[in-house]
């Protein structure tokens, strides 16, 4: 059963990809969806077997690489963290497959699309089930490859090409950091296996305290490893600095956005931090960095989402913001709460994306919220779905998003450190901004007076049944999952996680958070309601002229441009990094090295050298017999002299010296010829 969980998506992907022309769209969609559905069922069974029965499963298939102490095997580890991630991944993937049957029905390339979806799911399962870092890296790179294929699915669109290439390049930056971290792990611990690695960490941290000499400084190896692991997580989970690929990835089909940006690829970084919790726990510096970056990402993405007009981009930036919450939860050593928010976020964010897909589908691929409005009466089912997803995202009390987001902020405050309080207040402000842009999205899309084209309004329609049924599952998750799982997953004294997550006793703050003042616990909720009320006040009660006047004011224009241009990250990258690298590539590597040094010392230079010297020696070939006889005579005399005095010449003649002499002669002749050519 456990191996079927891993390989069923691959079977479905190969069937649709290799035999799609024979089985057709109907067969491809049904085979892949059935394989993913079976995987989902088996994942739930494994959850009951592993998590609820506290019985981890370890499977060793075969040896992959073996050279001395370098030993890598194909193995799978099913512990509590793995099976919880499997439920999230397979559930969302199943729903996306079913939804895509209706959403992509008019696309002529459905088999290829479903093959990519299943292949993406396969690599994600490889990532979460791996029992060593190298196998995890295979899944890590696999989801990166599949994200490129899915974002660029409509490859005839220029923007889709640009977005896919951007996603690959930005993720490669993070992957380079992850590789350096893996090299640091092998340098320090001589293993990539999770079980061996995590058992050695306390001994190295407390007894050996291994350091790495670098630029005259002794760097703690654990800090070095954790920082570079976090760089990998920053790229994959779109944290501040390497976040720019995520909003652009909206160029792919909407089901792709739901799959990649809700529960799978973007959460891989959070999963990596949680999986490597025994490493991070012994590096306070790394935890501080993780906390600060997560909090700043949550705030940055929330401010940027305030002024976006593209429906999918607003939801994309909200994903980036929620990932910030998960990351700084891990930075405050609350890995269980971070993973809990990951699972909760998957349900309401997938619901938001698929509901947005329904709006776009109904309006004929229109994504600009300024060209929508008045849709609440025309597509009431979609409106209800997006409304529930939005208020769950806001952290409305007693919905799924509330239980995890509120817990993250409480625990951050309860740690009583400078970085944790910094994260708490930024997270609280971000919660207010989240409520603001969520209400703005609902108003502009569904409640405002319609600005849609007449043709779109006349032909608007709500979801077909094949697209509507999956949303019911997500609605259930967005309302009830947080309440049903909170005591089991993050309750005080729960033993749900077993050995899957590790927290040092001094970093446990869940007991302290229980005794925080009620006012502190209510501050995030108050801020959320305040943000929603301000949004309602601005967009519903006040005149649109007020918004226009604010944008035109000097202060409003400053803020609007700053947020609308995404804090100028793209501008800085394009003008100061991309262009500099491209100029260096053209002038240095291409013109100077490739077209200059290599070609002049290589094919062109050598050919000219031999040609010119052959022309110089051409005068010896006169065709006269006495000239040839003279050359032969001189050569024979030289040979006899060399043989007769070989013992005396042996002192001076050495193979190495002869080679050096010939090389010098070659370069002297080449330089002379080059000077003549240049003149």
């Amino acid at each position: 059963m456990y191996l079927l969980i891993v390989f069923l998506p691959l079977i479905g992907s190969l069937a649709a990809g290799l035999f799609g022309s024979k089985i057709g769209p109907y067969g491809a969609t049904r085979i892949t969806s059935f394989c993913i559905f079976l995987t989902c069922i088996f994942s739930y069974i494994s959850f009951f077997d592993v998590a609820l029965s506290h019985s981890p499963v370890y499977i060793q298939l075969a040896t992959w690489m073996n050279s001395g102490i370098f030993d890598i095997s194909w193995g799978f580890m099913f512990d509590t963290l793995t099976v919880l991630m499997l439920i999230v991944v397979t559930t969302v993937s199943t729903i996306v497959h079913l939804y895509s049957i209706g959403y992509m029905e008019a696309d002529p390339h459905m088999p290829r699309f479903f093959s990519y979806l299943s292949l993406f799911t396969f690599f994600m399962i490889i990532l979460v089930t791996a029992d060593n870092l190298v196998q995890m890296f295979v899944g890590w790179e696999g989801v990166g490859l599949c994200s490129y294929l899915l974002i660029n699915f409509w490859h005839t669109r220029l923007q889709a090409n640009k977005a896919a290439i951007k996603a690959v390049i930005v993720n490669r930056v993070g992957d380079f950091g992850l590789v350096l971290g893996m090299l640091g792990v092998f340098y320090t611990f001589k293993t990539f296996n999770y079980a061996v690695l995590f058992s050695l960490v306390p001994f190295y941290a407390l007894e050996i305290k291994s350091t790495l000499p670098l630029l005259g400084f002794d760097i703690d190896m654990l800090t070095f490893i954790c920082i570079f692991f976090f760089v990998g997580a920053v790229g994959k989970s779109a944290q501040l600095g390497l976040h720019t690929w995520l909003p652009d990835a909206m160029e792919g089909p909407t089901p792709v956005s739901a799959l990649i940006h809700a529960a799978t690829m973007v959460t891989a970084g959070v999963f990596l931090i949680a999986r490597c919790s025994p490493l991070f726990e012994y590096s306070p510096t790394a935890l501080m960095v993780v906390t600060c970056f997560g909090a700043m990402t949550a705030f940055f993405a929330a401010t940027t989402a305030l002024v976006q007009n593209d429906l999918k981009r607003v939801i994309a930036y909200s994903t980036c913001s929620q990932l910030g919450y998960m990351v700084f939860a891990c930075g405050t050593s609350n890995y269980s709460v971070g993973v809990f928010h990951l699972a909760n976020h998957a349900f309401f964010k997938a619901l938001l994306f698929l509901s947005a897909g329904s709006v776009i589908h109904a309006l004929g691929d229109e994504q600009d919220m300024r060209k929508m409005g008045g849709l609440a009466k025309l597509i009431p089912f979609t409106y209800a779905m997006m409304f529930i997803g939005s208020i769950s995202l806001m952290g409305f009390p007693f919905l799924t998003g509330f239980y995890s987001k509120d817990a993250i902020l409480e625990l951050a405050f309860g740690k009583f450190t400078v970085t944790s309080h910094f994260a708490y207040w930024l997270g609280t402000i971000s919660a207010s901004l989240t409520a603001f842009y969520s209400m703005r999205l609902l108003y502009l899309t569904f409640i405002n007076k319609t600005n849609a084209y007449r043709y779109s309004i006349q032909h608007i329609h709500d979801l077909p049944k094949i697209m509507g049924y999956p949303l019911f599952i997500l609605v259930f998750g967005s309302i009830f999952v947080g309440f049903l799982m909170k005591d089991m997953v993050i309750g005080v004294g729960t033993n749900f996680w077993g050995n899957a997550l590790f927290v040092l006793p001094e970093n446990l703050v869940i007991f302290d958070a229980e005794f925080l003042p009620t006012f502190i616990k209510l501050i995030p909720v108050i801020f959320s309601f305040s943000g929603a009320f301000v949004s309602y006040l601005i967009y519903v009660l006040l005149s649109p002229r007020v918004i226009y006047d604010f944008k035109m004011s000097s202060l409003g224009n400053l803020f609007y441009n700053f947020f609308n241009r995404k804090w100028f990250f793209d501008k800085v990258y394009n003008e100061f990094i991309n262009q500099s690298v491209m100029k260096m590539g053209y002038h240095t590597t291409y013109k100077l090295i490739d077209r200059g040094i290599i070609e002049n010392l290589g094919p062109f230079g050598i050919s000219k050298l031999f040609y010119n010297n052959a022309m110089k020696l051409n005068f010896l070939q006169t065709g006269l017999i006495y000239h040839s006889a003279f050359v032969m005579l001189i050569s024979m005399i030289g040979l006899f002299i060399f043989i007769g005095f070989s013992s005396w010449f042996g002192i001076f003649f050495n193979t190495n010296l002869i080679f050096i002499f010939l090389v010098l002669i070659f370069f002297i002749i080449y330089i002379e010829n080059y000077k003549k050519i240049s003149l």
Side-chain angles (χ1 to χ4, degrees):
M1 180 186 74
Y2 292 97
L3 291 179
L4 286 175
I5 293 174
V6 178
F7 292 108
L8 270 175
L10 180 62
I11 295 170
S13 174
L14 292 176
L18 298 178
F19 307 104
S21 59
K22 298 186 183 298
I23 61 180
Y26 184 89
T29 56
R30 269 62 182 178
I31 290 174
T32 53
S33 300
F34 181 70
C35 289
I36 295 296
F37 178 72
L38 284 182
T39 306
C40 183
I41 296 297
F42 292 149
S43 298
Y44 277 91
I45 296 173
S46 69
F47 179 81
F48 283 99
D49 284 346
V50 174
L52 301 185
S53 302
H54 302 288
S55 303
V57 176
Y58 300 89
I59 301 174
Q60 290 292 325
L61 282 185
T63 300
W64 182 11
M65 293 177 280
N66 190 358
S67 177
I69 61 173
F70 186 77
D71 185 17
I72 305 296
S73 300
W74 285 107
F76 302 97
M77 177 176 66
F78 294 84
D79 61 358
T80 306
L81 178 61
T82 298
V83 294
L84 183 62
M85 288 294 298
L86 282 177
I87 282 183
V88 173
V89 171
T90 56
T91 301
V92 174
S93 183
T94 303
I95 289 170
V96 168
H97 274 74
L98 295 175
Y99 183 90
S100 300
I101 294 174
Y103 191 87
M104 302 292 291
E105 63 179 354
D107 197 285
H109 304 289
M110 281 183 69
R112 178 164 62 91
F113 180 77
F114 277 80
S115 176
Y116 291 166
L117 284 183
S118 294
L119 188 63
F120 182 94
T121 308
F122 165 72
F123 279 118
M124 192 67 201
I125 292 173
I126 289 288
L127 191 154
V128 300
T129 58
D131 71 343
N132 60 80
L133 284 168
V134 177
Q135 189 176 326
M136 183 277 298
F137 190 71
V138 172
W140 188 277
E141 290 299 302
V143 295
L145 169 66
C146 292
S147 70
Y148 170 81
L149 296 173
L150 287 168
I151 296 169
N152 200 30
F153 178 74
W154 289 324
H155 52 81
T156 55
R157 297 166 55 181
L158 180 60
Q159 291 302 320
N161 296 156
K162 291 181 178 179
I165 293 172
K166 188 176 185 179
V168 169
I169 293 174
V170 174
N171 274 279
R172 290 296 78 77
V173 176
D175 296 348
F176 179 70
L178 179 59
V179 170
L180 289 179
M182 290 170 60
L183 293 175
V185 166
F186 192 77
Y187 172 82
T188 307
F189 301 98
K190 306 298 185 294
T191 184
F192 287 115
N193 187 272
Y194 287 143
V196 179
L197 169 64
F198 297 156
S199 62
L200 292 174
V201 169
F203 177 70
Y204 271 81
L206 302 176
E207 300 294 334
I208 298 179
K209 296 183 179 179
S210 179
T211 58
L212 177 69
L214 185 67
L215 300 176
F217 298 95
D218 289 331
I219 301 174
D220 181 48
M221 274 306 300
L222 285 180
T223 301
F224 174 87
I225 294 168
C226 291
I227 290 295
F228 279 109
F229 273 4
F230 180 62
V231 171
V234 166
K236 197 66 78 179
S237 291
Q239 296 299 286
L240 193 66
L242 298 179
H243 66 278
T244 54
W245 68 271
L246 186 66
D248 292 346
M250 296 296 107
E251 294 297 330
T254 302
V256 172
S257 304
L259 184 63
I260 294 178
H261 305 135
T264 49
M265 179 176 165
V266 293
T267 59
V270 180
F271 170 80
L272 176 66
I273 299 173
R275 173 63 76 199
C276 296
S277 55
L279 286 167
F280 281 88
E281 282 298 289
Y282 288 101
S283 178
T285 305
L287 288 177
M288 182 180 67
V289 172
V290 171
T291 304
C292 292
F293 263 85
M296 290 189 293
T297 303
F299 179 73
F300 154 76
T303 57
T304 307
L306 291 176
V307 295
Q308 298 298 309
N309 295 313
D310 188 295
L311 179 61
K312 288 171 66 177
R313 282 182 180 264
V314 174
I315 306 173
Y317 276 110
S318 79
T319 300
C320 191
S321 181
Q322 298 305 306
L323 287 167
Y325 281 99
M326 302 173 205
V327 168
F328 87 68
C330 294
T332 54
S333 298
N334 298 301
Y335 307 98
S336 59
V337 187
V339 176
F340 183 46
H341 191 56
L342 184 156
N344 293 346
H345 170 264
F347 288 100
F348 59 74
K349 188 52 57 73
L351 179 62
L352 282 171
F353 269 118
L354 296 184
S355 300
S358 158
V359 173
I360 296 166
H361 193 266
L363 290 176
D365 297 329
E366 181 59 65
Q367 294 184 200
D368 195 333
M369 294 188 296
R370 294 170 297 182
K371 298 178 182 178
M372 299 179 186
L375 302 182
K377 295 180 180 180
L378 299 174
I379 44 176
F381 178 78
T382 302
Y383 172 57
M385 298 296 102
M386 185 159 279
F387 179 79
I388 294 172
S390 296
I391 61 175
S392 186
L393 169 66
M394 291 162 51
F396 192 84
F398 312 115
L399 295 185
T400 291
F402 167 77
Y403 292 101
S404 51
K405 183 190 284 188
D406 194 66
I408 289 172
L409 295 173
E410 281 184 25
L411 293 169
F413 190 90
K415 195 168 184 179
F416 293 104
T417 63
V418 175
T419 52
S420 64
H421 279 203
F422 170 76
Y424 171 82
W425 286 110
L426 273 188
T428 302
I429 296 170
S430 303
S432 175
L433 299 176
T434 301
F436 184 94
Y437 66 69
S438 297
M439 292 298 295
R440 175 178 178 267
L441 182 148
L442 290 173
Y443 174 77
L444 292 179
T445 306
F446 296 99
I447 302 171
N448 190 25
K449 293 180 181 178
T450 185
N451 290 314
Y453 295 113
R454 185 175 180 179
Y455 179 82
S456 301
I457 296 295
Q458 288 176 338
H459 294 82
I460 200 167
H461 58 279
D462 218 329
L463 288 174
K465 292 181 179 180
I466 191 66
M467 296 170 64
Y469 288 144
L471 298 187
F472 278 112
I473 303 171
L474 296 175
V475 164
F476 177 84
S478 301
I479 297 175
F480 299 110
V481 164
F483 173 75
L484 295 175
M485 293 186 64
K486 64 179 178 66
D487 290 328
M488 179 177 65
V489 177
I490 61 171
V492 177
T494 180
N495 193 32
F496 173 78
W497 296 101
N499 295 324
L501 301 176
F502 175 77
V503 182
L504 287 173
E506 57 264 30
N507 290 336
L508 282 170
V509 295
I510 189 147
F511 299 101
D512 298 327
E514 289 291 323
F515 299 98
L516 288 175
T518 307
F519 177 71
I520 297 295
K521 295 183 179 182
L522 290 176
I523 284 178
V525 180
I526 294 170
F527 269 65
S528 293
F529 277 106
S530 302
F533 176 75
V534 171
S535 181
Y536 177 79
L537 181 68
I538 291 175
Y539 287 98
V540 178
L541 299 182
L542 297 179
S543 170
R545 183 72 186 180
V546 176
I547 305 171
Y548 177 79
D549 290 339
F550 177 73
K551 287 183 181 179
M552 291 297 102
S553 65
S554 57
L555 182 63
N557 190 47
L558 179 66
F559 277 101
Y560 185 82
N561 283 332
F562 184 70
F563 295 148
N564 192 44
R565 302 189 70 176
K566 309 154 197 173
W567 289 32
F568 295 101
F569 271 100
D570 285 313
K571 185 177 178 63
V572 170
Y573 287 162
N574 290 334
E575 294 189 3
F576 294 98
I577 297 177
N578 296 356
Q579 291 191 17
S580 301
V581 171
M582 291 178 69
K583 285 180 181 178
M584 185 188 72
Y586 179 75
H587 292 290
T588 304
T589 60
Y590 176 67
K591 295 197 69 175
L592 177 63
I593 298 175
D594 188 25
R595 295 295 302 275
I597 297 173
I598 294 176
E599 288 192 358
N600 285 326
L601 291 179
F604 291 113
I606 292 173
S607 65
K608 289 177 181 178
L609 174 67
F610 279 99
Y611 177 79
N612 292 332
N613 287 289
M615 293 300 293
K616 289 181 178 179
L617 295 173
N618 193 39
F619 74 94
L620 296 176
Q621 300 292 333
T622 60
L624 301 175
I625 295 176
Y626 62 87
H627 284 173
S628 300
F630 177 74
V631 172
M632 291 176 63
L633 178 63
I634 295 298
S635 301
M636 292 295 293
I637 292 171
L639 180 63
F640 285 130
I641 293 172
F642 180 78
I643 294 172
F645 296 93
S646 58
S647 59
W648 186 75
F649 280 115
I651 302 172
F652 303 99
F653 282 86
N654 183 276
T655 308
N656 296 329
L657 293 175
I658 294 172
F659 177 75
I660 294 170
F661 176 75
L662 292 175
V663 170
L664 288 173
I665 294 296
F666 175 82
F667 274 103
I668 289 169
I669 297 172
Y670 173 79
I671 291 169
E672 289 180 356
N673 290 323
Y674 185 76
K675 288 179 179 178
K676 291 178 181 179
I677 293 168
S678 60
L679 291 172

